[in-house]
Amino acid sequence: MAPVDIAHGRPHLWRMTKPPLRILLAAPRGFCAGVVRAIDIVERALALYGAPVYVRHEIVHNKFVVDDLKAKGAIFVDELDEIPPGDRPVVFSAHGVPKSVPEAATARHMFQLDATCPLVTKVHMEAQRHHAEGCEIILIGHQNHPEVIGTMGQLPPGAVRLIETVADADSIAVKDPEKLAYVTQTTLSVDDTKDVIAALQRRFPGIKGPYKEDICYATTNRQEAVKEIAGRIELLLVVGAPNSSNSKRLVEVGLRHGTPRSLLVQRASELDWPSLQGLSTLGITAGASAPELLVNEIIDAFRAHYEVTVETVTLREENVTFKLPRELREAPAPL
Ligand code: SF4
């Protein structure tokens, strides 16, 4: 029962003192230029052509983003054959698609909009260049990730070999060590990938690589920003989805660089408060497909339990933007 203020005969409102919590907010975090562009493509297609707009696979790996686009009229499908005949646009996700997908869409005269991130397309083009030069290609990446499926699908079956670890690099048998090249997924751990590349280079000194590394600026910056705060926090929360490669890597980077606990969280409603008591310093970052709104939602949830102060730790500014596909740039602005 609430204590009673004797003098006035009404419940006394205790001024509960909440414990202080310092939140270090890593920057850069959250949306990258490829994700912004992919979401813009779906939204602009909806504005220009009306609903529905079909999207093959999650446009980016974030349920909140996908649900928001669904509410605006996007329909997400796993494969093109789920889309009925007609003139509706179909958007390919930011992770890229095997060549067979646009080929099938063209055969069906579909109106295609490609939201593949230009930095993924760069990897596709490298793989094609190495293949044209007669090289066998080793792709460093995670099996079954849509980006890996898309990159392998740029070339005929068998042309690209997937490896994930240093042990794989140490054991892979190649056709001709003098005709060998590697490419990587864009969202890998920078540190792990260096080790895998070093192992390949030890075994195959002539192996060709990218002119500029394949792990993208956004992945690199978010990992480096976590390293900046990792040794100063008791817990790192990474706002992101369980199927988001770059978000999962941020959890690992935190643990490896001095954070005792590191967790992936999608929404504030998932926070397990009994395990979040007694904190004094918390780090927060967000994967490249997580909207800032979800970061703010989580900070607000902590305000209910702690007296929060937020300090942004900025590693570097980002100012990368990517153009929309020509079809959308040249279309008249929606009314
Ligand atoms: Fe492009 Fe990198 Fe963003 Fe992936 S994480 S969409 S490669 S900028």
Side-chain angles (χ1 to χ4, degrees), residues 32 34-35 117 119-120 186-187 216-219 288 322:
C32 60
V35 163
C117 176
L119 299 182
V120 174
T186 57
T187 51
C216 75
Y217 80 96
T219 299
F322 296 131

Side-chain angles (χ1 to χ4, degrees), residues 46-173:
L46 283 163
L48 284 168
Y49 309 113
V53 166
Y54 290 92
V55 184
R56 184 184 175 277
H57 291 184
E58 282 195 335
I59 184 77
V60 300
H61 282 154
N62 189 278
K63 185 176 178 323
F64 180 89
V65 171
V66 167
D67 287 347
D68 183 55
L69 292 173
K70 276 184 190 167
K72 292 174 179 166
I75 295 179
F76 289 81
V77 296
D78 288 332
E79 294 306 337
L80 298 181
D81 54 21
E82 294 166 47
I83 303 172
D87 62 352
R88 296 289 76 209
V90 55
V91 181
F92 304 143
S93 82
H95 311 101
V97 291
K99 267 197 168 157
S100 55
V101 172
E103 283 168 5
T106 302
R108 284 187 51 189
H109 308 290
M110 289 175 139
F111 175 17
Q112 306 165 45
L113 294 167
D114 188 0
T116 303
C117 176
L119 299 182
V120 174
T121 303
K122 163 189 166 285
V123 177
H124 292 180
M125 290 166 72
E126 277 163 22
Q128 286 164 352
R129 177 171 54 84
H130 291 311
H131 182 69
E133 289 168 357
C135 289
E136 184 178 9
I137 294 152
I138 296 178
L139 166 62
I140 305 167
H142 296 295
Q143 195 160 26
N144 298 328
H145 189 279
E147 183 185 323
V148 162
I149 294 169
T151 301
M152 295 186 83
Q154 299 307 304
L155 293 171
V160 183
R161 312 274 305 280
L162 177 66
I163 65 167
E164 298 196 45
T165 61
V166 169
D168 294 341
D170 285 339
S171 60
I172 189 169

Side-chain angles (χ1 to χ4, degrees), residues 237-291:
L237 290 182
V238 178
V239 184
N243 56 348
S244 159
S245 171
N246 78 89
S247 302
K248 288 193 285 189
R249 303 296 80 80
L250 293 174
V251 173
E252 295 165 0
V253 169
L255 290 173
R256 283 191 199 162
H257 289 267
T259 307
R261 286 165 71 203
S262 186
L263 299 170
L264 192 62
V265 60
Q266 299 196 76
R267 300 295 303 258
S269 55
E270 291 175 7
L271 292 169
D272 175 41
W273 291 108
S275 72
L276 298 172
Q277 302 306 309
L279 293 171
S280 58
T281 319
L282 168 71
I284 299 184
T285 185
S289 42

